[in-house]
Amino acid sequence: MTISNLDLPVQTLGFSLGDAEQLAGELALTVSNALRSAIAERGAATLVVSGGRSPIAFFERLAQQQLDWAKVTVSLADERWVPVSHPDSNEGLLRRHLLQGPAAAARLVGLYQSAASLELAADRADAVLAELPPIDVLVLGMGEDGHTASLFPDSPNLQQALDPRGTRRCLPMQAPTVPRQRLSMSLALLASARLTLLALHGRGKLATLNQALAGEPYEAMPIRAFLARPLEIYWCP
Ligand SMILES: O=C1O[C@H](COP(=O)(O)O)[C@@H](O)[C@H](O)[C@H]1O
């Protein structure tokens, strides 16, 4: 079912699912089909996912899909600058909920780097991401403030991170809530994905999306940078 009461751009598809379980299942099917096609066409596939709390069910459903996981590279749209063993680590979340069973054969390109400062960690992550193969599938999330990945409104470096012609792949970012120090893929890298999906849970996020569609500047609601491109939105109450 399409999302009602939303004036979506022509290149955007919006799917309304009954609950979080259904959303996780649909998203896992769409992502695994796209990864399978990439493997059939190019011999390998690259998936970039988001962290936070909401993707756990999706990760677990995706891990159950029949895929040649050894041919899949997985990376993260953003990371909290905490060690992988920290409960807030997006990489830790991915390892616990996606890279399990046959999916453990996938190659993980993490963003976290231990360094003397967040800026140095971002420089190192930027160099690591130079080796990331072209992104086949990107799964974004969104906060109720309109941030996506760790592209937060009001963060220093946001303008540079949202430059579609920027050369940086990863930038240091600041979040309004803990853990504040973040590493985020830039818009230029994220927007290079062949297929971009946005997963949203709850009426609050639907209201945020509606507001973003109404036309705030990109800096006020960074999700807007993705609404002007082909996108599939998966929402549930
Ligand atoms: O901090 C983050 O927030 C967003 C949204 O997270 P959610 O738990 O509300 O789904 C997420 O997309 C991003 O990757 C994460 O680091």
Side-chain angles (χ1 to χ4, degrees), residues 46-94:
T46 303
L47 168 67
V48 172
V49 292
S50 297
R53 297 310 307 161
S54 41
I56 293 177
F58 157 62
F59 288 166
E60 292 178 350
R61 295 295 289 270
L62 184 59
Q64 293 163 8
Q65 301 296 316
Q66 295 285 333
L67 266 172
D68 191 347
W69 283 101
K71 294 184 174 151
V72 178
T73 297
V74 183
S75 189
L76 281 157
D78 70 315
E79 183 56 284
R80 290 91 183 268
W81 195 45
V82 292
V84 172
S85 58
H86 191 283
D88 289 328
S89 164
N90 282 342
E91 181 174 329
L93 189 86
L94 201 63

Side-chain angles (χ1 to χ4, degrees), residues 44-184:
T46 303
L47 168 67
V48 172
V49 292
S50 297
R53 297 310 307 161
S54 41
I56 293 177
F58 157 62
F59 288 166
E60 292 178 350
R61 295 295 289 270
L62 184 59
Q64 293 163 8
Q65 301 296 316
Q66 295 285 333
L67 266 172
D68 191 347
W69 283 101
K71 294 184 174 151
V72 178
T73 297
V74 183
S75 189
L76 281 157
D78 70 315
E79 183 56 284
R80 290 91 183 268
W81 195 45
V82 292
V84 172
S85 58
H86 191 283
D88 289 328
S89 164
N90 282 342
E91 181 174 329
L93 189 86
L94 201 63
R95 288 181 181 277
R96 288 192 301 280
H97 297 283
L98 176 60
L99 303 179
Q100 294 289 330
R107 179 170 77 109
L108 171 64
V109 178
L111 268 56
Y112 176 75
Q113 301 289 328
S114 168
S117 67
L118 179 67
E119 287 66 28
L120 278 175
D123 289 348
R124 287 184 188 170
D126 189 76
V128 168
L129 288 174
E131 306 303 320
L132 188 75
I135 303 169
D136 293 294
V137 187
L138 166 66
V139 184
L140 291 172
M142 184 190 77
E144 288 193 16
D145 58 357
H147 85 266
T148 189
S150 277
L151 303 170
F152 286 92
D154 301 326
S155 174
N157 298 329
L158 182 64
Q159 223 174 343
Q160 188 185 359
L162 289 178
D163 179 355
R165 283 173 297 281
T167 53
R168 283 287 296 222
R169 291 167 284 263
C170 182
L171 282 154
M173 303 298 293
Q174 296 290 332
T177 50
V178 287
R180 292 186 193 281
Q181 294 185 300
R182 306 290 183 105
L183 298 167
S184 187

